[in-house]
């Protein structure tokens, strides 16, 4: 496994999240995707879904399982961004890429994405990365497409009725699967 922490810029350090980081990760993710504070950034889902994006029990479960990690990116001992990575053997899964809403639109998301892709390539030697994005998030989908991801045409249902993922405000939510080949084996 790649040694962490590693420096991603002059002021930003990255490391694998630990159990002590669960509450901070949960707070960051929820603040970036849901509620009024999320509207300070451009990644909000607040108009589509209310409630939480995740909870502490889910983040703790994700941190504890093998073949998956949260990378956190911090400056001055404050978590500014995070991303969840999972080794699915034939590909890597990337989810919950999160940047503090007050730090968005400054290139930090691109830095996190590049670091996550490199970490999965260097650590797990995978050749492609997949993710799911809510179909209605056209601006976010376009952002990933500009970074080499493409729509596979696959769709996954939104988990209606499971409040761990929030309370939908619209009836036709679903995920699309995006994919990027990062190198050929």
């Amino acid at each position: 496994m790649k040694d962490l922490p590693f420096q991603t810029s002059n002021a930003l350090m990255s490391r694998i999240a630990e159990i002590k980081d669960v509450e901070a990760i949960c707070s960051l993710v929820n603040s970036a995707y849901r509620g009024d504070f999320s509207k300070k950034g451009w990644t909000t889902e607040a108009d589509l879904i209310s409630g939480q994006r995740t909870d502490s029990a889910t983040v703790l479960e994700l941190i504890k399982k093998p073949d998956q990690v949260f990378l956190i990116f911090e400056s001055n001992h404050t978590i500014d961004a995070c991303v969840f990575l999972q080794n699915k053997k034939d590909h890597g899964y990337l989810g919950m890429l999160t940047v503090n809403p007050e730090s968005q639109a400054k290139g930090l998301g691109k830095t996190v994405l590049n670091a996550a892709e490199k970490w999965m390539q260097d650590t797990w030697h995978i050749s492609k990365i997949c993710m799911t994005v809510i179909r209605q998030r056209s601006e976010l989908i376009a952002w990933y497409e500009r970074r080499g991801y493409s729509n596979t045409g696959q769709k996954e249902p939104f988990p209606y009725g499971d409040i761990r993922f929030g309370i939908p405000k619209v009836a036709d939510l679903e995920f699309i699967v995006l994919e990027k080949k990062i190198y050929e084996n």
Side-chain angles (χ1 to χ4, degrees):
M1 185 172 284
K2 185 174 170 84
D3 291 332
L4 289 177
F6 62 93
Q7 195 160 345
T8 55
S9 72
N10 289 340
L12 193 66
M13 295 291 290
S14 177
R15 63 179 172 84
I16 294 175
E18 302 172 30
I19 291 173
K20 68 178 182 163
D21 301 311
V22 167
E23 293 302 323
I25 291 169
C26 189
S27 177
L28 176 65
V29 170
N30 286 324
S31 75
Y33 288 97
R34 308 288 165 76
D36 288 337
F37 187 75
S38 71
K39 292 178 182 179
K40 291 183 176 194
W42 67 273
T43 62
T44 184
E45 298 171 346
D47 293 334
L48 299 172
I49 307 166
S50 64
Q52 66 185 21
R53 168 66 174 79
T54 192
D55 60 28
S56 298
T58 300
V59 172
L60 178 62
E61 182 180 324
L62 294 174
I63 285 176
K64 286 183 163 184
K65 286 188 177 176
D67 288 329
Q68 54 192 44
V69 297
F70 266 96
L71 294 183
I72 58 174
F73 299 78
E74 52 191 0
S75 60
N76 299 319
H77 306 290
T78 300
I79 299 175
D80 298 313
C82 67
V83 62
F84 171 70
L85 308 175
Q86 184 178 30
N87 184 351
K88 295 207 168 230
K89 304 303 179 207
D90 64 332
H91 69 277
Y93 177 81
L94 185 147
M96 283 194 256
L97 193 153
T98 307
V99 175
N100 179 317
E102 293 179 324
S103 299
Q104 291 181 13
K106 298 176 183 173
L108 182 54
K110 183 178 177 183
T111 297
V112 170
L113 182 61
N114 290 341
E117 291 172 353
K118 182 167 179 20
W119 191 90
M120 283 195 280
Q121 186 177 9
D122 292 351
T123 305
W124 292 330
H125 309 290
I126 56 155
S127 60
K128 69 178 176 178
I129 299 171
C130 296
M131 69 176 71
T132 56
V133 180
I134 294 174
R135 176 181 52 84
Q136 289 83 349
R137 306 278 321 279
S138 57
E139 189 174 276
L140 183 59
I141 293 166
W143 186 85
Y144 281 114
E145 288 174 337
R146 288 191 303 271
R147 279 138 193 91
Y149 288 82
S150 58
N151 187 339
T152 65
Q154 298 172 328
K155 296 179 182 175
E156 295 182 10
F158 184 85
Y160 283 94
D162 189 341
I163 61 168
R164 291 179 304 160
F165 299 98
I167 303 162
K169 294 181 175 182
V170 297
D172 62 344
L173 294 175
E174 68 181 347
F175 296 102
I176 64 166
V177 178
L178 301 178
E179 174 184 286
K180 178 179 181 179
K181 291 189 174 160
I182 55 175
Y183 75 89
E184 300 295 327
N185 285 333

